[in-house]
Amino acid sequence: MQAATSWLDEIRWDRDGLVPVIAQERGTGDVLMFAFMNREALALTVERGQAVYWSRSRGRLWHKGEESGYFQTVHELRLDCDGDVVLLSVTQHGHEPGIACHTGRHACFFRRLEGGQWHEVEPVLKAPDQIYSRT
Amino acid sequence: MQAATSWLDEIRWDRDGLVPVIAQERGTGDVLMFAFMNREALALTVERGQAVYWSRSRGRLWHKGEESGYFQTVHELRLDCDGDVVLLSVTQHGHEPGIACHTGRHACFFRRLEGGQWHEVEPVLKAPDQIYSRT
């Protein structure tokens, strides 16, 4: 049924078939991370109610939390005026406070520009080797 | 002086020499818009304390507010873990509440996915022809 996925056709996919996605934490409003989705990832995200991204480095679907257990429940999806950016409202699971960054931090935006230098201003909540030790 | 701009070298510019930028409103935490900057735009943003983007459609620097008068004061710049996305904390000037979107809305993310369709869920605060009538 084409009608059921026509909302996907309204997205202006980039030349690689991707759309940039911003994940914002519900409640705090913190911008947790930025990633990309292709059509399949976005469809799966809506179907599952959990964020599924497209990993450009690995060239495959990336169900956020598949290795760490730190899944993201997606409460709401928004599309911007140009139809080429998606904003998610999410809950970050698996740790309190949530860990969205692979460095073990709450969010990926942990470097702040101060005096002409980037300074790390957010703590590591859990060491990455403890997050990704599931084999 | 190279040292003064080395923070720009830490950014992983994409193949077009751009970096994606998320503008988040200080106070509300609202994600207002998403755009790109090149090296010059980012340097100017920091120099002026106001957002200067790179307009991909117009192929030139775009001092946000240059036509509308709706400038953005930049309070803070953050860089993500991969060094390829910038997050700004801004105040959106010129209207109360702020208008960041060229459609006359507070923010660009005014379409919400509901029942398999994108619905416009945010009001137009001022008609675009009233915003861009400065000649």
Side-chain angles (χ1 to χ4, degrees), chain A residues 3-4 6-8 10-11 14-16 20 22 24 28-31 33-34 36 42 46 56 76-87 101-103 108-113 116-118 121-122, chain B residues 3-4 6-8 10-11 14-16 20 22 24 28-31 33-34 36 42 46 56 76-87 101-103 108-113 116-118 121-122:
Chain A
S6 64
W7 63 275
L8 286 165
E10 290 181 52
I11 291 174
D14 71 12
R15 58 190 163 182
D16 297 318
I22 302 160
Q24 184 176 31
T28 65
D30 292 342
V31 175
M33 55 177 285
F34 172 93
F36 289 87
L42 184 49
V46 170
R56 295 186 302 171
E76 185 181 276
L77 293 94
R78 294 217 177 196
L79 183 62
D80 78 334
C81 49
D82 296 324
D84 59 4
V85 186
V86 170
L87 175 65
C101 184
H102 75 286
T103 63
C108 296
F109 299 91
F110 58 83
R111 287 187 277 182
R112 186 164 61 199
L113 189 65
Q117 289 187 318
W118 297 108
V121 294
E122 304 293 344
Chain B
S6 64
W7 61 277
L8 287 164
E10 289 181 52
I11 291 174
D14 72 12
R15 57 189 164 184
D16 297 317
I22 302 161
Q24 183 176 32
T28 65
D30 292 342
V31 175
M33 56 178 284
F34 172 93
F36 290 87
L42 184 50
V46 170
R56 294 185 302 170
E76 185 181 276
L77 294 95
R78 293 215 178 197
L79 183 62
D80 78 336
C81 48
D82 296 324
D84 58 3
V85 186
V86 170
L87 175 66
C101 184
H102 75 287
T103 65
C108 296
F109 298 91
F110 57 83
R111 287 187 276 181
R112 186 163 61 197
L113 190 64
Q117 289 187 318
W118 297 106
V121 294
E122 303 293 344

Side-chain angles (χ1 to χ4, degrees), chain A residues 29-101:
Chain A
D30 292 342
V31 175
L32 298 179
M33 55 177 285
F34 172 93
F36 289 87
M37 291 185 184
N38 64 2
R39 189 180 172 99
E40 187 183 1
L42 184 49
L44 284 170
T45 294
V46 170
E47 191 182 310
R48 299 182 183 177
Q50 290 193 336
V52 179
Y53 300 100
W54 175 259
S55 169
R56 295 186 302 171
S57 57
R58 288 173 286 184
R60 66 165 176 86
L61 289 172
W62 161 38
H63 183 188
K64 173 74 178 168
E66 63 191 10
E67 290 180 60
S68 61
Y70 296 174
F71 300 98
Q72 289 178 344
T73 293
V74 176
H75 303 288
E76 185 181 276
L77 293 94
R78 294 217 177 196
L79 183 62
D80 78 334
C81 49
D82 296 324
D84 59 4
V85 186
V86 170
L87 175 65
L88 306 180
S89 174
V90 306
T91 295
Q92 178 63 59
H93 297 287
H95 191 275
E96 187 53 42
I99 293 176
C101 184

